[in-house]
């Protein structure tokens, strides 16, 4: 995922995380907090679970954030 913030300095720095309270997918996915890259840490079994929907939040250096769904 990618997000941008027009602020300068620390307030413009964007960090990524899975939505708080939703870490059931951390067994399968790793989210790089600096880049927003999502990586598999375990093979997926689509016979067991047909699809996955992750909620990723982008936080700026201040108190603002936004959430995106990744399928």
């Amino acid at each position: 995922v990618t997000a941008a913030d027009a602020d300068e300095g620390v307030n413009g720095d964007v960090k990524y995380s899975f939505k708080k309270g939703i870490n059931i997918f951390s067994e399968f996915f790793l989210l790089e907090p600096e880049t927003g890259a999502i990586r598999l840490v375990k093979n997926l079994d689509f016979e067991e679970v047909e699809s996955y929907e992750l909620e990723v939040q982008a936080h700026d250096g201040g108190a603002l954030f936004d959430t995106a769904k990744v399928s």
Side-chain angles (χ1 to χ4, degrees):
V1 293
T2 302
D5 188 323
D7 289 342
E8 292 183 15
V10 176
N11 286 341
D13 291 341
V14 178
K15 304 283 188 230
Y16 303 91
S17 63
F18 288 122
K19 187 172 178 180
K20 294 195 184 315
I22 301 177
N23 58 1
I24 58 173
F25 295 122
S26 63
E27 177 182 344
F28 300 102
F29 301 99
L30 172 69
L31 175 62
E32 297 287 339
E34 302 292 326
T35 65
I38 300 171
R39 302 181 192 283
L40 280 176
V41 294
K42 186 176 178 181
N43 289 332
L44 302 177
D45 183 353
F46 288 103
E47 291 179 2
E48 187 175 313
V49 178
E50 198 170 296
S51 65
Y52 296 84
E53 186 173 276
L54 312 171
E55 290 191 70
V56 177
Q57 290 186 328
H59 300 263
D60 72 357
L64 300 177
F65 70 91
D66 203 355
T67 305
K69 289 185 179 182
V70 179
S71 296

